[in-house]
Amino acid sequence: MPITLEQVLQARDHRADRQRFMLQAYGLPLVSLTVVMPGSEKRTPTSLYIAQKAIEAIENRFSIAEMEKEDLPTGYEARYAIDMEALSLKRATVAIEESHPLGRLFDIDVIDSNGSPISREQIGEEPRECLVCGELSAACVRSRRHSVPEVLDVIETMVMEYKQEHD
C-alpha cells in the first residue's frame, strides 16, 4: 500500500521519539534498524524479508539489553539498547552491513548514549555505495540518478539470489 510523504515524516518523528525514550530509559547506545526501500511502498513482502534477515544478524551478534520492534505501514523498524561502547558498536554494525549478502539493504544506525549518531566516517569507513552503479549513494539519491523501479529491480534481484542460496 503506497504511503504519503506525511506518513514518512510522521514515522521519522515517531522513531526519533522512541529513540529518545530508550536513551533516557536505558542510558545505553542504540542500534536503530530500518530497511533500504525507495518509493512509496515501504512495507512489502521483500522489505519484511530483508528486515527479518537484518534482525537475525543483529540479534545473533549482540547481547541486547532491551529492544522494540514495530511493523508499520512505513516499514519494519527495530531499536536495540546494547551495552557496548558506541564506536565499537558502529564498527560491528558496519561489519554486518558489509559482510551479510543482504547487508547493503540494511539501514543500521548507531546512536551513542548522549543521543549523537555515529557516522561511518567517524570510524574510518567510506560512505555507502549506490546499489545500482557503485558511486557514492548519497550523490545518486540527491541527483535522483536512478529511477525507483531501477533500484527496486536491483533489490528484488539481490533478495531472489539470496533466497536461492540460503533458503
Side-chain angles (χ1 to χ4, degrees):
M1 177 178 193
I3 59 165
T4 65
L5 176 59
E6 183 177 334
Q7 287 174 296
V8 170
L9 296 175
Q10 288 173 346
R12 186 180 300 159
D13 289 344
H14 172 73
R15 184 167 42 256
D17 289 344
R18 296 308 306 158
Q19 289 168 349
R20 278 190 293 277
F21 170 80
M22 288 184 75
L23 284 166
Q24 289 173 352
Y26 306 110
L28 297 171
L30 296 181
V31 167
S32 181
L33 168 70
T34 57
V35 171
V36 174
M37 189 58 56
S40 63
E41 291 199 39
K42 303 293 186 189
R43 189 188 180 284
T44 66
T46 297
S47 71
L48 294 175
Y49 183 84
I50 296 164
Q52 173 192 357
K53 295 305 171 187
I55 286 166
E56 288 172 9
I58 290 168
E59 292 181 4
N60 288 332
R61 170 61 181 85
F62 301 108
S63 177
I64 296 162
E66 191 60 50
M67 72 178 95
E68 287 186 350
K69 298 175 187 175
E70 295 185 288
D71 187 0
L72 305 169
T74 51
Y76 200 91
E77 299 184 10
R79 287 169 289 283
Y80 300 91
I82 299 174
D83 190 4
M84 185 175 185
E85 190 272 328
L87 292 175
S88 297
L89 185 56
K90 182 65 176 182
R91 284 184 197 94
T93 60
V94 167
I96 290 170
E97 290 174 339
E98 293 184 353
S99 66
H100 193 285
L102 296 177
R104 182 55 191 85
L105 305 177
F106 306 164
D107 188 0
I108 308 173
D109 294 328
V110 173
I111 302 160
D112 72 17
S113 57
N114 295 317
S116 298
I118 306 295
S119 70
R120 292 172 71 92
E121 290 77 20
Q122 284 175 267
I123 60 164
E125 292 290 331
E126 296 293 320
R128 292 184 98 172
E129 295 178 354
C130 174
L131 286 168
V132 177
C133 70
E135 296 296 320
L136 290 181
S137 180
C140 289
V141 169
R142 249 191 322 274
S143 69
R144 296 186 178 162
R145 185 174 298 156
H146 312 290
S147 69
V148 169
E150 185 178 14
V151 178
L152 290 174
D153 283 347
V154 170
I155 292 171
E156 290 292 339
T157 298
M158 289 174 71
V159 170
M160 182 183 65
E161 289 173 355
Y162 180 84
K163 285 180 174 182
Q164 287 174 347
E165 292 180 27
H166 297 92
D167 284 350

